[in-house]
Amino acid sequence: MRFNYLLAAGTVAFTLLLSPTVVSAQKVKSAPFSYLPERSVDRYNQRVSRKTLPLPGGAFIILAHKSATEYAIERYDAELKRQWSTALPLTAEQAIEGFTSSSGQALVAIYDKSGATQSISAQAIDLSNGQKSPLKKLTETGLRDRRPSVAFSPDGSKMVAWRYVARNNQIKSISASVFDEKLTKLKDRTYDFSDQGAFFSTTVHIGNDGAQYVTLVSDEMKKLTVRRYRNDNNDIKVMSVSVGGTFGGKVVNVFDSRFALQPDNVLYAAAICNERESGLYHSLKVVKFDFSGEGDMKFAPEFSFTPEYLAETNKATAGTAKRIEDVYLTDLLLTDEKQLVVVGEKKYEEGGDDSPGHTRELHLFGYNEFLSPAWHSIVAKDQVAPAAEGFSSIGYRAAVFGSDLQLMTWEKLKGKSDLYLRRVNLQTGVVQAPKGLGLNVAADQNPSYVKDFTAWLDAKTLIGVSRPSKKSAALMLNKIVVKQ
């Protein structure tokens, strides 16, 4: 791990190599954990990547994969005692599409591809006793159509399910239905794209009030657009900004984008733009879409991926890369003071369907509450996992508490395989050296750590699933208290 020293605001000056240290941590509780690894045809885009959800009072729920034909929702108390377990049997044609919780229940969205149709249904589970409500179908489309999808509001109280209407493989519109947490339908909406060209990308977000935010990367992948649809009227509010174009005779468009809707219905967007012909990374663009009042859009100054930034990356990682590549946007994180950090991670496969997956350095970009660039940092790491695991054990988990960003990874540093915690000061971008939690995580070809179950109950308490040694075949559910 390299420790970043700042000489001036907005710049990272140089890095020094520091050895990982052991943090003062206590593994408070452990319990046996049953888990069957997921099998996904798309390792880059998991349908459900967070399978542990915190509840008030130190409790939490878990979406557990018990067998090829069964999932389960399980509730644990603060002492790691399982309070109830509710089985969710699935057929070979079904898959979990979404998982969230609200103040009183958990919601599981189930995708079904059987017969001549594709559908998404929802199952509600009472958080107090694990009782299931009847399964309710939310949307349905033809077997040859694009896969339908679903999204939840930040507080889990609203959801939107949709299907695509296409002609000649081109999306013409989206047919959507909005539901509350009791799965009562609130509104049917159609999002029309007849004004769009032949090449664009779109998805749907939903706010706590039920308003829908349809995001578009359009205009030949050069423009970011957000359309807001309300349930109480038919007015559509649109905000749009060009992030690509022709610069210095080179066509630049969006290579990767990420949108994050906040509980106050402010939506942040980030886009990595590259040169269309060469594929060279050009810049990072960040936009804030605020739909309150008359609406306001703020566009941050671009961050250019210059030769100097490549040299900085190589210095931080002790690498010799000739270009920035394989970096994808993975998180948009916001503090209570509205400071934003954009996270990108380098991840790739060696080649072929059965090749190992790699995740390497993190690229962090900090912005103040006015969306002005404040700092950037590069966090060096080098992780690899077998193809069967995809990216479920490597990568990172992140959480923000005050002005402190915590990053959790499973790595083997200085010969020690463990879960490591790094802290980033969001005022300055300074990254602390990685600190091992002392779990002695096994390092072999069998599942040793499942990132999907890592969650923070609070700033000092974490939940994680890992295997303690090569001699042990069983995964353990761990509750870890980190002393400051």
Side-chain angles (χ1 to χ4, degrees):
M1 171 60 194
R2 280 81 177 168
F3 188 97
N4 292 330
Y5 287 85
L6 262 68
L7 291 185
T11 63
V12 177
F14 53 85
T15 59
L16 295 177
L17 182 64
L18 293 182
S19 298
T21 58
V22 177
V23 71
S24 179
Q26 180 183 0
K27 186 174 64 176
V28 178
K29 295 283 184 180
S30 289
F33 188 76
S34 175
Y35 168 74
L36 180 68
E38 305 283 355
R39 299 289 181 178
S40 174
V41 296
D42 187 356
R43 299 174 192 148
Y44 282 97
N45 298 295
Q46 288 178 280
R47 300 290 174 180
V48 181
S49 61
R50 296 186 182 272
K51 299 184 175 72
T52 298
L53 303 179
L55 300 176
F60 57 94
I61 56 172
I62 277 180
L63 173 65
H65 192 190
K66 295 291 190 180
S67 70
T69 59
E70 184 181 307
Y71 282 78
I73 305 296
E74 300 180 335
R75 175 170 177 151
Y76 291 82
D77 65 13
E79 300 303 316
L80 225 60
K81 180 180 178 181
R82 190 168 64 187
Q83 297 178 306
W84 49 257
S85 180
T86 300
L88 295 175
L90 295 186
T91 68
E93 290 75 32
Q94 294 177 318
I96 300 295
E97 186 75 15
F99 176 49
T100 193
S101 66
S102 62
S103 58
Q105 67 180 25
L107 276 173
V108 180
I110 299 173
Y111 169 78
D112 193 334
K113 184 178 182 180
S114 58
T117 63
Q118 303 177 78
S119 66
I120 290 181
S121 301
Q123 184 90 69
I125 299 98
D126 191 307
L127 289 177
S128 65
N129 55 24
Q131 183 176 348
K132 290 189 295 188
S133 297
L135 189 69
K136 180 169 183 175
K137 185 177 291 185
L138 306 180
T139 190
E140 185 177 67
T141 190
L143 195 61
R144 295 185 177 181
D145 294 332
R146 290 173 181 256
R147 180 172 176 145
S149 196
V150 66
F152 302 108
S153 64
D155 67 358
S157 68
K158 306 292 189 301
M159 64 187 303
V160 57
W162 68 89
R163 61 183 178 87
Y164 296 92
V165 179
R167 186 182 306 119
N168 298 325
N169 293 322
Q170 176 60 47
I171 299 172
K172 296 300 181 182
S173 65
I174 286 178
S175 179
S177 297
V178 181
F179 300 85
D180 65 16
E181 62 183 326
K182 300 302 181 184
L183 303 181
T184 301
K185 185 183 289 189
L186 303 178
K187 189 78 173 180
D188 287 323
R189 294 301 300 249
T190 297
Y191 316 128
D192 182 70
F193 303 123
S194 58
D195 60 330
Q196 297 300 310
F199 190 47
F200 65 93
S201 173
T202 183
T203 192
V204 184
H205 311 256
I206 185 167
N208 293 337
D209 61 354
Q212 306 103 66
Y213 298 82
V214 179
T215 58
L216 292 155
V217 184
S218 57
D219 190 21
E220 298 296 320
M221 305 302 284
K222 296 186 183 70
K223 183 181 291 185
L224 301 181
T225 301
V226 183
R227 301 177 180 179
R228 184 192 66 183
Y229 299 78
R230 295 175 51 159
N231 294 329
D232 56 355
N233 60 55
N234 291 321
D235 293 340
I236 305 170
K237 188 171 185 61
V238 181
M239 293 189 192
S240 185
V241 62
S242 292
V243 295
T246 302
F247 305 100
K250 298 177 181 179
V251 177
V252 173
N253 55 12
V254 176
F255 163 74
D256 189 35
S257 62
R258 196 169 190 89
F259 297 86
L261 180 65
Q262 304 303 311
D264 60 359
N265 286 344
V266 173
L267 190 146
Y268 290 84
I272 292 176
C273 299
N274 68 355
E275 297 176 8
R276 179 181 296 177
E277 187 171 332
S278 66
L280 287 173
Y281 279 35
H282 182 269
S283 60
L284 171 69
K285 307 285 184 75
V286 176
V287 187
K288 174 184 175 183
F289 300 92
D290 186 352
F291 284 87
S292 61
E294 295 298 317
D296 179 52
M297 183 173 59
K298 188 175 291 292
F299 188 39
E302 72 172 353
F303 181 91
S304 298
F305 293 112
T306 61
E308 290 75 17
Y309 185 74
L310 173 62
E312 187 179 311
T313 301
N314 281 333
K315 186 174 183 179
T317 61
T320 57
K322 302 299 183 184
R323 56 194 285 173
I324 301 292
E325 59 185 352
D326 297 321
V327 176
Y328 298 87
L329 295 170
T330 47
D331 267 317
L332 303 181
L333 303 167
L334 203 66
T335 71
D336 292 338
E337 289 73 33
K338 308 302 182 183
Q339 296 162 318
L340 176 71
V341 58
V342 177
V343 185
E345 182 180 39
K346 183 170 184 174
K347 52 185 180 178
Y348 58 93
E349 294 170 337
E350 290 182 6
D353 294 337
D354 298 319
S355 62
H358 294 256
T359 57
R360 304 199 68 177
E361 75 270 3
L362 299 177
H363 298 253
L364 311 181
F365 305 90
Y367 298 82
N368 66 19
E369 63 271 29
F370 305 109
L371 217 60
S372 296
W375 53 265
H376 65 270
S377 294
I378 299 159
V379 180
K381 63 182 181 67
D382 188 0
Q383 300 163 287
V384 60
E389 292 184 35
F391 295 97
S392 64
S393 66
I394 56 176
Y396 71 99
R397 273 285 180 260
V400 172
F401 298 97
S403 61
D404 186 38
L405 169 64
Q406 296 189 31
L407 299 169
M408 177 67 72
T409 60
W410 170 45
E411 296 178 74
K412 190 172 184 178
L413 300 177
K414 302 295 181 180
K416 184 175 179 58
S417 175
D418 201 354
L419 298 186
Y420 288 91
L421 188 67
R422 294 173 173 89
R423 288 190 173 91
V424 184
N425 185 317
L426 295 181
Q427 301 289 337
T428 63
V430 171
V431 185
Q432 292 184 3
K435 297 180 178 180
L437 296 184
L439 294 187
N440 299 316
V441 181
D444 52 31
Q445 294 301 304
N446 297 316
S448 299
Y449 166 64
V450 190
K451 182 182 60 181
D452 300 352
F453 296 100
T454 299
W456 280 260
L457 302 184
D458 56 49
K460 299 180 182 180
T461 310
L462 296 104
I463 299 297
V465 169
S466 63
R467 187 163 55 90
S469 68
K470 294 181 179 180
K471 296 180 180 179
S472 173
L475 290 165
M476 302 296 290
L477 177 64
N478 303 308
K479 178 182 176 181
I480 306 140
V481 174
V482 179
K483 297 180 181 179
Q484 302 297 330

